[in-house]
Amino acid sequence: MQNDGEVVGWLLGGVVGGLVLLARGFRAWRRLRLVEDTPTARARSMALGRVELFGRAQGKADLEAPFTGLPCVYYRYRIEKEVRSNRRRSWRTVARGDSSAWGFYLEDETGRVLVEPAGAEVDVSHDWNETNPELGPRLQAALAQAGVGSSGWLFRRKLRFTEWRIAAGESLYVLGVAQERHGLAAERRRRIHEKLAAWKRDPEAMAHFDVDGDGRVDAEEWEVARRLVVQEVSLDAVDDRVVVAADADGNSPFYVTDREEGRVRTRYRWRAFGGIYGGAALCLGCAAALLHQLDLLGRF
């Protein structure tokens, strides 16, 4: 039988677990409201700020899924090993990774926009899951990179591999923040500097800005040239000027899924319902049982 200390520990754990569920429920509720309140935008006409997009994935980089080698625009993987403790078996994650450093395009009937998935909650169904598969070159390479051996003492370790991927042409729903591409300001400054440096080496260009004809370009005349370059660079067409990415302040969710918007709403609705009501019930029930266990219930 469990002693009083163990019972109190379990009840305290239940209270904490209920509070965690409650917090997750309210988080899901806030996301549900964001999904419901954010209208679907089009790639060509979307404004900066929080956006909801629906389209098809298109690749920007040539990616291959790490386990299957299949082409994709995004992948995520996990390697687990079986561990035993007190005659119980469980799975422990020993390696995980994804391709969030590489962006991909979301294309609709109006155009396309670059999605930078770093920091996103990518919710897609797993495409490949195997326990103790034949360890070909790709799986061996993945294990070596993770520093995981395939054999233990006497016997081969039991390993489980899971791979998620987004294929080109797959329909996606994206909720994120449309913003100026990171590094674009530095890129503009570099282009301005390069154009001004080229003009300095061009006698005809310098003569054009020598308005008073004194044979030199003074500070005021050079300022006119600089403003002209800034205007030209600002008007130049730039690839991927606007991207959908994580909110720098973390105030808006960033969600990528292969589910339709209706299924996204249903998923968040159930998460909110289960978290709020389930968490409240667990927290209150364990708190009442804890007070009873400590003979404090009658004092309240």
Side-chain angles (χ1 to χ4, degrees), residues 156-175:
R156 176 182 172 185
R157 289 182 174 178
K158 198 168 186 179
L159 299 170
R160 184 164 66 188
F161 299 81
T162 307
E163 179 182 274
W164 298 260
R165 63 180 180 272
I166 299 174
E170 190 170 346
S171 296
L172 292 180
Y173 169 88
V174 176
L175 179 68

Side-chain angles (χ1 to χ4, degrees), residues 124-129 162-165:
V124 294
S125 303
H126 70 258
D127 295 275
W128 190 79
N129 178 265
T162 307
E163 179 182 274
W164 298 260
R165 63 180 180 272

Side-chain angles (χ1 to χ4, degrees), residues 12 19 24 40 64 76 91 108 111 115 133 209 220 222 234 236 241 255 268 276:
L12 283 173
L19 292 174
R24 290 180 177 178
T40 302
E64 291 184 351
R76 186 171 79 245
W91 291 98
D108 61 20
V115 178
F209 292 108
E220 292 183 1
W222 186 245
S234 299
D236 285 347
R241 183 187 298 271
Y255 187 58
Y268 276 133
I276 293 174

Side-chain angles (χ1 to χ4, degrees), residues 188 191-192 228-238 241:
R188 284 174 175 164
R191 294 173 65 201
I192 290 171
L228 181 61
V229 171
V230 170
Q231 183 179 10
E232 288 183 356
V233 170
S234 299
L235 294 176
D236 285 347
V238 178
R241 183 187 298 271

